[in-house]
Amino acid sequence: METLQIYWWFVISLLGGLLVFLLFVQGGQTMIWSAKTPERKALYVNVLGRKWELTFTTLVVFGGAFFASFPLYYSTSFGGAYWLWMLILLSFILQAVSYEFRSKPANVFGTATYDMFLFFNGLVGSVLLGCAVGMQFFGADFEVSRQNILDGGAPVISVWNPSHGLEQIFSLNNLLLGFAVFFLGRTLAAMFFAKSLRLGHEESFLREMRRRILFNGTVFVLLFLAFLAALFLSPGYTHAQDGSVVPIGSKYFYNMVDMWWLGAVFLLGVLAVLYAVLRASFDDGFCRQAFWWAAVGVVAVVTTLLCANGYGDTAFLPSVTHPESSLFITNASSSEFTLRTMAWVTVLLPVVVGYIAYVWHKMTSPAMTPEELASSDHNY
């Protein structure tokens, strides 16, 4: 049972890493308004339009995997902090509507309105997803009472505070992570544009992308370092010898040290992202290759951080007001039968990943040009 719980927490962590990487779509959407010409704006929207469904689908799979493997988290977080999650969902619905109707003839609201929706999703969706992940590290105000399931009048297991997640948006630690994710998305988007677009004035375009990578990458690094300082200095919750749940200072830092393989992968991921940002900021040739260096680094960093959030007998969703209600991978998971059955399904993951990689390559190779956009019969 413990092996299956560890395995499924790794799957959840990996999906979280892939989701944060794919937020380059959201980052790119916040750059649409800065396009210097209508042609450039159309290129930005259409090259992102080929990828936006991957982010949306990964978010749905991430939530579905959580529901199947750790249902108590799903009911506690998604059911309790529902205002936070509803705002996230709203931003992604607006994104889907925008890509569908933005260029339709005689659309009701006009192209500018849909571009504003895309910006809203890029900013609010990224920051709030960061806040939701930050909540898993820094905790929330909730209480879990399993016996309530027997109450026919109010069979609610998890009871949240009256703000139902809105308070998480005003947490400084959560906002550090939220805006770090936002600026990371913009950094990855600039790398993606440099890789995926070919314009007639290449030198000026690459120079603009390098400036964007340097600025957004610098802000991201500063915010991420501030988040790491807050995380590694904050307590994490674990079980004491008598079974009670107690806070341990710098728990997440010690998890990285005690589970050295997590710490090693984390450091390698950080170095890959730093290398991609620094070299792409000053090298036109590497600017087109930096995207995949940064992508591997981001997935590695986020995956290991989420692993450290749940491994080492650590509460992956701490309750700061009722510590005994904190969620661990041991008390929040599905039954052994469910975990084992679903584990067999994940055997197909390499096939799915291979298919996604093939489709990704076909949709972005060769790079998009103004001529291709003009001749296309389907534009976003």
Side-chain angles (χ1 to χ4, degrees):
M1 180 67 171
E2 181 182 1
T3 301
L4 288 169
Q5 291 166 339
I6 291 173
Y7 170 74
W8 272 103
W9 188 253
F10 172 76
V11 172
I12 293 294
S13 300
L14 180 58
L15 286 172
L18 292 171
L19 175 60
V20 172
F21 152 62
L22 289 170
L23 290 178
F24 75 85
V25 175
Q26 276 60 37
Q29 289 169 185
T30 64
M31 296 181 179
I32 292 173
W33 289 90
S34 64
K36 297 178 180 179
T37 63
E39 178 189 68
R40 177 77 65 84
K41 178 184 289 188
L43 284 168
Y44 284 177
V45 172
N46 280 273
V47 76
L48 292 172
R50 295 176 172 183
K51 296 290 182 285
W52 77 268
E53 290 174 318
L54 291 176
T55 312
F56 194 94
T57 303
T58 304
L59 177 62
V60 172
V61 173
F62 178 76
F66 243 133
F67 173 73
S69 54
F70 298 96
L72 189 55
Y73 171 84
Y74 193 90
S75 66
T76 301
S77 180
F78 290 85
Y82 55 77
W83 286 121
L84 173 62
W85 287 107
M86 285 298 103
L87 286 172
I88 293 172
L89 179 61
L90 172 64
S91 75
F92 278 88
I93 290 174
L94 290 176
Q95 180 200 38
V97 170
S98 298
Y99 279 115
E100 179 65 26
F101 294 103
R102 180 182 180 275
S103 296
K104 289 291 176 62
N107 66 64
V108 176
F109 300 107
T111 301
T113 300
Y114 290 114
D115 289 346
M116 182 177 64
F117 288 164
L118 291 176
F119 183 89
F120 178 83
N121 171 247
L123 173 61
V124 175
S126 299
V127 172
L128 293 189
L129 275 175
C131 289
V133 175
M135 177 175 66
Q136 293 187 210
F137 291 101
F138 300 110
D141 176 11
F142 65 91
E143 181 180 9
V144 176
S145 300
R146 295 174 183 266
Q147 64 272 18
N148 285 356
I149 196 67
L150 302 176
D151 185 352
V156 179
I157 296 178
S158 304
V159 179
W160 209 269
N161 64 27
S163 61
H164 291 291
L166 286 178
E167 79 284 355
Q168 298 297 324
I169 304 174
F170 302 99
S171 165
L172 176 60
N173 290 336
N174 289 350
L175 287 174
L176 282 175
L177 180 57
F179 279 100
V181 170
F182 170 67
F183 281 99
L184 172 63
R186 287 175 60 87
T187 305
L188 291 172
M191 294 177 180
F192 178 72
F193 288 151
K195 180 185 79 68
S196 304
L197 294 176
R198 295 293 184 272
L199 307 180
H201 36 285
E202 288 292 300
E203 290 185 4
S204 62
F205 171 65
L206 288 178
R207 188 163 53 247
E208 178 187 347
M209 291 302 105
R210 287 193 290 107
R211 286 197 302 266
R212 290 182 181 275
I213 292 169
L214 179 60
F215 173 76
N216 290 286
T218 300
V219 177
F220 158 69
V221 169
L222 293 175
L223 288 171
F224 185 67
L225 288 176
F227 162 74
L228 282 184
L231 177 65
F232 288 159
L233 293 174
S234 67
Y237 286 77
T238 189
H239 286 108
Q241 291 184 349
D242 60 0
S244 61
V245 178
V246 295
I248 299 293
S250 301
K251 173 64 173 170
Y252 301 109
F253 173 76
Y254 288 122
N255 279 357
M256 286 291 188
V257 174
D258 294 338
M259 294 175 281
W260 60 267
W261 56 92
L262 287 182
V265 175
F266 173 79
L267 287 176
L268 289 174
V270 169
L271 291 175
V273 174
L274 289 176
Y275 174 74
V277 170
L278 289 174
R279 187 172 173 188
S281 299
F282 302 100
D283 184 344
D284 278 355
F286 185 77
C287 188
R288 295 196 186 282
Q289 308 169 24
F291 180 74
W292 291 118
W293 278 88
V296 172
V298 167
V299 174
V301 168
V302 177
T303 301
T304 50
L305 278 176
L306 290 176
C307 284
N309 177 230
Y311 291 165
D313 193 28
T314 307
F316 68 83
L317 183 61
S319 173
V320 295
T321 53
H322 302 83
E324 69 283 354
S325 294
S326 299
L327 302 188
F328 296 79
I329 64 174
T330 52
N331 69 2
S333 72
S334 295
S335 67
E336 182 176 0
F337 173 79
T338 301
L339 294 178
R340 181 183 294 110
T341 302
M342 292 192 305
W344 283 107
V345 177
T346 61
V347 173
L348 298 175
L349 277 179
V351 177
V352 176
V353 172
Y355 174 75
I356 292 173
Y358 173 76
V359 173
W360 178 294
H361 174 73
K362 295 297 290 185
M363 293 181 70
T364 54
S365 182
M368 181 179 287
T369 63
E371 293 75 21
E372 178 190 349
L373 182 64
S375 63
S376 174
D377 58 357
H378 176 72
N379 291 329
Y380 291 99

